Amino acid sequence: MSVWAILVAAGRGERLGLDRPKAFAKLGDEPLLAEPLRRLEACAWVDGVVLVAPPGWEEPAILLAEEEGCGKVHACVTGGETRSDSVRAGLEEVPADALVVLIHDAARPLVSDEVVERVLAPLSEGWDGVVPGLPVGDTLKRVGSDGGVQETVPRDGLWAIQTTQAFAAEALRRAQASGGEATDCAGLVEAAGGRIKVVEGDPHLLKVTSEADLETVAAWR
Ligand code: CTP
Ligand code: MG
């Protein structure tokens, strides 16, 4: 079984508000992207990696992968306007004989072997996709633009979904070809009628959005 990972790193990082894309923000004393690159390289489940870089940052991305000794990175492609566009660009470089495709956000630097193992396992039971998540702990309220509470949303059965997400390559390609939009790849596969399973995620898979998140993740490394 060959497993390919698409590392999507092409976002602008607007909420971080730096002079560079989020993938090149400083995590400790190195670019954020170095961490997930090294971790995917070291992950025994992963056979190959396609790196999706921000427009104009392809060369630094390739150089970084080389510096980190990431021989599994077989291609580096330019990302698109939306995350889905970036995933699509990455998927085009995944070899046709790949059986499983993992999608990982570079913005979640602390990818672990354990989570990769957890999302891969159910694929052999016939699921089209498997995503890691955490049960929502906070009370959820729908709030209007004036700050007024409109309703309290029951949180039973609600999970916050993370990456790494795993897909049967065929199911992901089919869903991509159907051309829908969704906030994550699992959403695309669901819309195309695919069956998605949720497994336990990891709080350390925090997505870096703000400066404070960078410090939190740096301290967890
Ligand atoms: N991503 C991407 N291509 C895009 C948008 C996002 O590859 N056009 C990637 C980001 O690089 C990130 C992941 O998708 O690894 C999750 O996106 P997000 O956390 O929203 O990152 P950004 O879009 O870069 O941040 P912001 O929304 O603040 O601009
Ligand atoms: Mg974004």
Side-chain angles (χ1 to χ4, degrees):
M1 167 170 113
S2 86
V3 177
W4 278 66
I6 301 173
L7 180 57
V8 284
R12 281 193 283 266
E14 270 167 11
R15 287 167 289 183
L16 207 47
L18 301 175
D19 60 351
R20 60 189 63 201
K22 182 153 63 181
F24 291 90
K26 279 271 178 319
L27 185 65
D29 56 7
E30 59 181 14
L32 177 147
L33 180 58
E35 187 75 32
L37 272 173
R38 271 198 306 269
R39 287 171 176 249
L40 288 176
E41 181 69 26
C43 180
W45 301 101
V46 174
D47 297 308
V49 176
V50 174
L51 176 55
V52 186
W57 289 77
E58 300 84 351
E59 268 198 40
I62 292 168
L63 278 175
L64 183 63
E66 284 173 358
E67 272 169 34
E68 296 293 335
C70 299
K72 288 182 187 172
V73 176
H74 286 255
C76 177
V77 295
T78 310
E81 190 54 34
T82 67
R83 185 180 179 282
S84 315
D85 294 336
S86 296
V87 170
R88 191 171 300 120
L91 193 55
E92 279 169 15
E93 294 300 317
V94 171
D97 62 359
L99 286 182
V100 172
V101 178
L102 299 172
I103 314 282
H104 186 77
D105 290 333
R108 304 180 191 271
L110 303 184
V111 47
S112 70
D113 288 1
E114 289 76 12
V115 168
V116 169
E117 210 171 317
R118 284 207 284 278
V119 294
L120 284 175
L123 288 179
S124 57
E125 297 158 13
W127 296 90
D128 297 305
V130 187
V131 303
L134 296 173
V136 173
D138 294 329
T139 296
L140 296 178
K141 294 188 192 295
R142 192 176 312 282
V143 181
S145 55
D146 63 350
V149 171
Q150 294 167 343
E151 62 168 330
T152 297
V153 182
R155 63 170 185 234
D156 328 329
L158 289 184
W159 290 63
I161 301 305
Q162 305 174 314
T163 70
T164 311
Q165 306 191 346
F167 300 94
E170 204 190 299
L172 183 59
R173 288 192 200 274
R174 222 183 307 121
Q176 280 279 0
S178 68
E181 279 290 324
T183 55
D184 71 349
C185 307
L188 273 185
V189 176
E190 287 157 40
R195 290 170 66 240
I196 304 290
K197 182 182 170 82
V198 177
V199 296
E200 188 193 346
D202 180 350
H204 291 115
L205 276 172
L206 175 71
K207 187 168 81 165
V208 170
T209 303
S210 66
E211 197 74 44
D213 297 333
L214 271 175
E215 283 166 28
T216 305
V217 169
W220 281 342
R221 282 194 300 170

